[in-house]
Amino acid sequence: MRARLGRAARDTVAGALIATGALASVVLFVTTTYFTILCLIGIGFLALPHLTTAVRRVCDLNRRAAARSGVPVERPYRPEPEEIERDIVGWVRRCKWILADPASWRDLLWLLLNSVVGLLLGCAPAALLYYAGEGLALACGLWRPVAADGVGRWYAFITVDSWPAALAAGLAACAVFAGWLLLCPWLLKGYAYFVLFLLGPTQRARLASRVRHLAETRSGALDIQAAELRRIERDLHDGAQARLVSLGLTLGAVDRQLDRDAEEARRLLHDARSSSVQALRELRGLVRGIHPPVLAERGLADAVRALGLASPLPVTVTADLPGKLPDPVESAVYFSVSELLTNALKHADARQVEVVLRYADGALRGQVTDDGRGGAEMSAGSGLEGIRRRLASFDGVLEINSPPGGPTVVKMELPCALSSPKTSSS
């Protein structure tokens, strides 16, 4: 009962804020519409970007209010052009971008309708609470001075001019109070669906956003692949290839020394064998960098445990993977965890790291937590940005919470399906 009462009180406050926003919607609608019309003669371009920013902030606040009621609403706006000149031409381009976005016009329609819908639904919880309080006040004796002139107070189809009528009014007030407790969440949820209907993305906008996302992730995947190919080429050129060339030269020297100096030929053969062993070791290391054998043989959980054992930091690994994941997903998560462990060692000055991997609801969720100094940021060109782009290739997301002083918590989520029974030893 206490929890429901607290929820209803919070919903009443939220409803009052929604009603206040509905009044502001009228002002924003009139002002934005006025300057949009003035764009026909060029004057409106000066104020339109500022007004649009204010409109979208109000819309975002209402989207968050809808999410609080259990109805998440995505932002439907088209991305702003990357390069806009800081002059009058760029200002006009920005206005054209705003006017060409269908979501801008839906925002205007929502402002107009919200001045009525938001006001009614937002005021309803407070009105119910006020009406219940009025009935209880009448039941407590307030009807007597009101009925002193011989005319009783009308309340819920009851003329309160006597104590029995006051008792009936009190019972009706209790019913209104119960209705306030029960209806508050539903009133706000109804408003949330109204917000979703107008401020959420349309199917066309959702498909366009999906196409943009796929184009970006495809570009990121190609960039990652190109970077990997360059790394492999560099490692081959600087490592195994150089050693194989040296091995060929050494064998040529052996061929020249066989008849002249057997001892020197034996020494050169010994050097050649050492070079071949070293080249083989470097090739195996290169293969491990492409796809670690432990990942193919034991699965993701044991591969991450092997990373933890190889790390100088104490690493605790908790894995709950009821089956084998697709190889590309395992590889992406493995190298992401490896990068995060390296960051914790080199940059965070961490003393210990905890890795958690779980599969549920069709998605692999991972979390890497270190007790380092924090302050990690996902900036362009950083290792964290590389991890984000790697996961985005699989529609995965990366979240970072790293306040100054730590701890740093990195969460990963990749939608995927299990392809075979569990193979890990966990």
Side-chain angles (χ1 to χ4, degrees):
M1 181 62 182
R2 180 178 299 177
R4 178 167 291 181
L5 183 62
R7 171 67 185 273
R10 291 192 296 270
D11 288 343
T12 301
V13 174
L17 294 175
I18 289 172
T20 304
L23 297 176
S25 297
V26 179
V27 179
L28 275 177
F29 172 77
V30 173
T31 307
T32 306
T33 303
Y34 175 72
F35 279 97
T36 300
I37 295 173
L38 288 182
C39 287
L40 297 175
I41 59 176
I43 300 177
F45 286 118
L46 299 176
L48 185 61
H50 298 297
L51 289 171
T52 302
T53 300
V55 169
R56 293 186 176 183
R57 285 179 180 174
V58 171
C59 292
D60 287 339
L61 288 175
N62 284 272
R63 290 187 185 96
R64 286 199 288 269
R68 179 182 174 277
S69 298
V71 183
V73 182
E74 302 175 17
R75 298 184 90 241
Y77 307 114
R78 294 178 180 177
E80 183 176 358
E82 294 183 359
E83 296 182 1
I84 294 183
E85 299 83 356
R86 297 179 178 273
D87 53 18
I88 188 62
V89 176
W91 197 263
V92 173
R93 285 184 59 197
R94 183 176 286 107
C95 292
K96 289 182 177 179
W97 161 68
I98 293 171
L99 295 175
D101 191 346
S104 299
W105 301 100
R106 288 166 63 85
D107 287 351
L108 278 180
L109 178 60
W110 176 83
L111 288 175
L112 176 63
L113 298 180
N114 186 57
S115 60
V116 178
V117 178
L119 191 62
L120 292 177
L121 294 181
C123 289
L128 286 173
L129 182 61
Y130 171 81
Y131 199 57
E134 180 185 352
L136 292 175
L138 290 173
C140 291
L142 187 62
W143 65 273
R144 298 181 65 182
V146 174
D149 55 357
V151 180
R153 179 66 177 268
W154 184 265
Y155 184 83
F157 305 104
I158 301 170
T159 302
V160 184
D161 55 3
S162 63
W163 282 112
L167 179 60
L171 294 177
C174 291
V176 173
F177 184 78
W180 173 72
L181 288 177
L182 295 175
L183 292 178
C184 277
W186 293 104
L187 289 170
L188 291 189
K189 188 172 285 289
Y191 179 77
Y193 280 109
F194 164 70
V195 172
L196 175 64
F197 179 72
L198 284 177
L199 297 186
T202 60
Q203 186 65 21
R204 183 176 179 180
R206 191 175 285 110
L207 289 175
S209 176
R210 177 66 176 165
V211 169
R212 286 195 301 270
H213 174 73
L214 291 176
E216 292 173 358
T217 55
R218 178 179 178 273
S219 176
L222 292 176
D223 290 343
I224 291 173
Q225 184 181 21
E228 286 294 316
L229 289 175
R230 288 194 298 270
R231 181 186 66 82
I232 294 171
E233 181 182 4
R234 184 179 62 252
D235 291 346
L236 283 173
H237 181 273
D238 297 341
Q241 178 178 321
R243 293 192 178 279
L244 290 175
V245 170
S246 175
L247 177 62
L249 295 175
T250 302
L251 291 176
V254 170
D255 184 56
R256 291 192 297 272
Q257 294 292 336
L258 278 176
D259 297 330
R260 292 184 290 179
D261 191 345
E263 289 297 325
E264 179 65 17
R266 187 178 294 108
R267 186 187 66 79
L268 291 173
L269 284 173
H270 178 75
D271 292 342
R273 184 175 61 181
S274 299
S275 295
S276 66
V277 171
Q278 186 64 26
L280 180 61
R281 185 180 296 115
E282 291 177 355
L283 285 173
R284 286 175 176 172
L286 184 62
V287 171
R288 281 195 295 270
I290 300 173
H291 191 78
V294 66
L295 191 60
E297 297 170 2
R298 304 293 299 276
L300 179 62
D302 284 341
V304 173
R305 290 190 180 95
L307 281 177
L309 292 174
S311 174
L313 295 173
V315 179
T316 303
V317 179
T318 303
D320 182 13
L321 305 177
K324 189 178 186 308
L325 301 166
D327 290 342
V329 172
E330 287 190 336
S331 180
V333 175
Y334 174 86
F335 286 111
S336 297
V337 172
S338 176
E339 178 75 18
L340 292 173
L341 291 179
T342 301
N343 289 346
L345 177 64
K346 290 185 176 180
H347 306 298
D349 294 333
R351 293 183 297 274
Q352 60 182 4
V353 182
E354 180 182 7
V355 181
V356 178
L357 298 173
R358 300 188 188 280
Y359 182 88
D361 301 326
L364 172 64
R365 295 175 176 85
Q367 178 173 306
V368 179
T369 306
D370 68 66
D371 59 351
R373 59 190 177 191
E377 295 182 356
M378 191 166 10
S379 56
S382 66
L384 293 175
E385 174 64 16
I387 295 174
R388 186 197 67 79
R389 294 177 64 186
R390 182 190 293 271
L391 299 183
S393 303
F394 303 91
D395 283 345
V397 295
L398 181 72
E399 296 181 3
I400 301 175
N401 182 16
S402 182
T408 296
V409 180
V410 180
K411 296 181 180 180
M412 301 173 285
E413 182 174 342
L414 288 86
C416 58
L418 299 178
S419 56
S420 65
K422 183 175 180 180
T423 58
S424 171
S425 63
S426 59

